[in-house]
Amino acid sequence: KFTKYLAFCVAISVIGSAFQIGMICGLWNNPFEVVRNFFDQVYIYRYEKPMSNSTFNTLWSITNSSLPLGGTMGSFLSGYSADYFGRKNALLLTNILVIISATLNLISKYIKAFESLMVARFISGIYCGLYSGILPLYLTELPPINYRGVTGGFYQLILIVGVFVISIFGLDTFLGTDSLWPILAGGLIYIPCLTQVGLLFAVESPKHLYINKNDIEAARSALIKLRGKNYLNLVESELKLLESEKLNILSQKKINWSEILLNPSLRHPLLIAFMLHVSQQFCGINAVS
């Protein structure tokens, strides 16, 4: 059963994660010329001469390329973070990076430093990479098996909604102006602050509690919250599935990176996953170009 509490956990995690990725990907879609003027104004303030096109292109290329660079780092850390801290706690910690990045965007104009935007872009890449690994785990481990496809699809859906929303607010009739663009960029701080509070009331992944933490009672309690007290039989059957999965994991041989790269049956899925991540980050770069 898709309970109200399950819907709350899914909604608060997706809005606080996938929506953020979409917004940062589309952030500089419309106010590009405004930000270019900001770079030029800072350069004139420092060196008393306009910035050349080649200098701007170099700085803007560094700014854009820092997003996939940070995303690569974040994606490598996402699995470890999700297992070590837990899915929910990993999302909470990643939200802190969103707040830092948004703050750097917000103050950049007032401290006259385009480097602040560049650093913020790199941090944005890190949290996008973390979210892209942690959130799908959380979304597929909360619902019953028959709803996992639906909840997993929310990730891409809300990401696109985030791109759409930030593109609208980035128009020069809204916040995409010389005076208001810091509010546009810094406004990203409100969503993680709100979702931080919401996530405190969300439940940890039952699978993480059962398999990674070996806390059967905590997993049972989480499942009861998610499924409802009237579905205790369903809870017990899911616990049996988790036990089977845990035994299967323990019986599997651990593999290293060399085996992943040399074994075709492992290398091909890795290649597909890598290209999916690259295409997602490429879309983000195109959105701000």
Side-chain angles (χ1 to χ4, degrees):
K1 181 182 178 181
F2 206 95
T3 61
K4 291 180 180 179
Y5 183 72
L6 173 58
F8 164 77
C9 293
V10 170
I12 200 69
S13 60
V14 170
I15 293 172
S17 306
F19 195 69
Q20 291 291 339
I21 299 176
M23 291 185 77
I24 199 62
C25 286
L27 178 59
W28 303 127
N29 262 13
N30 292 317
F32 170 74
E33 290 298 329
V34 172
V35 176
R36 176 167 185 157
N37 291 336
F38 166 67
F39 273 66
D40 195 45
Q41 290 166 10
V42 172
Y43 197 85
I44 293 172
Y45 173 79
R46 293 177 183 176
Y47 307 108
E48 298 181 349
K49 62 178 181 180
M51 180 184 291
S52 66
N53 286 332
S54 61
T55 301
F56 173 76
N57 289 336
T58 300
L59 292 174
W60 194 241
S61 296
I62 294 171
T63 304
N64 276 335
S65 61
S66 64
L67 181 69
L69 176 62
T72 302
M73 294 177 60
S75 62
F76 276 116
L77 293 171
S78 62
Y80 173 80
S81 301
D83 287 340
Y84 185 81
F85 297 107
R87 285 42 162 162
K88 186 184 84 167
N89 289 334
L91 290 174
L92 284 167
L93 291 172
T94 304
N95 273 344
I96 296 173
L97 293 178
V98 184
I99 295 170
I100 294 172
S101 175
T103 302
L104 289 172
N105 282 328
L106 180 64
I107 67 173
S108 57
K109 182 176 181 178
Y110 306 106
I111 64 174
K112 294 182 172 61
F114 48 69
E115 293 86 357
S116 183
L117 291 182
M118 299 168 77
V119 174
R121 197 71 176 162
F122 176 69
I123 296 175
S124 297
I126 295 176
Y127 72 65
C128 284
L130 285 166
Y131 279 148
S132 65
I134 300 166
L135 180 62
L137 280 176
Y138 192 59
L139 290 178
T140 56
E141 292 175 359
L142 289 184
I145 294 175
N146 55 318
Y147 284 112
R148 288 178 184 175
V150 175
T151 56
F154 286 151
Y155 172 75
Q156 290 295 337
L157 173 64
I158 302 302
L159 188 153
I160 298 303
V161 172
V163 174
F164 174 76
V165 170
I166 200 69
S167 296
I168 295 297
F169 279 100
L171 294 171
D172 55 12
T173 52
F174 287 93
L175 299 176
T177 64
D178 285 313
S179 58
L180 296 178
W181 71 261
I183 298 176
L184 174 71
L188 300 177
I189 198 171
Y190 296 112
I191 295 175
C193 286
L194 291 173
T195 54
Q196 282 289 83
V197 177
L199 279 170
L200 294 176
F201 297 95
V203 72
E204 181 55 89
S205 159
K207 180 177 178 179
H208 170 74
L209 293 171
Y210 195 102
I211 296 177
N212 296 91
K213 294 297 183 181
N214 198 31
D215 193 337
I216 299 174
E217 289 307 313
R220 178 180 283 107
S221 177
L223 283 170
I224 291 173
K225 285 184 179 180
L226 291 167
R227 308 292 179 260
K229 295 180 180 179
N230 296 327
Y231 293 86
L232 296 181
N233 289 337
L234 176 61
V235 169
E236 293 303 321
S237 64
E238 287 195 50
L239 287 173
K240 290 178 181 178
L241 288 175
L242 289 173
E243 177 64 22
S244 300
E245 187 173 347
K246 182 179 179 180
L247 293 174
N248 185 43
I249 291 172
L250 292 175
S251 64
Q252 289 177 352
K253 174 190 172 184
K254 292 186 177 180
I255 57 175
N256 53 40
W257 277 102
S258 62
E259 290 178 276
I260 293 176
L261 296 173
L262 295 175
N263 188 334
S265 64
L266 299 174
R267 185 173 65 244
H268 293 163
L270 174 66
L271 210 61
I272 293 170
F274 175 76
M275 293 307 297
L276 285 172
H277 276 285
V278 169
S279 62
Q280 181 180 342
Q281 297 298 338
F282 182 71
C283 289
I285 294 172
N286 279 344
V288 296
S289 296

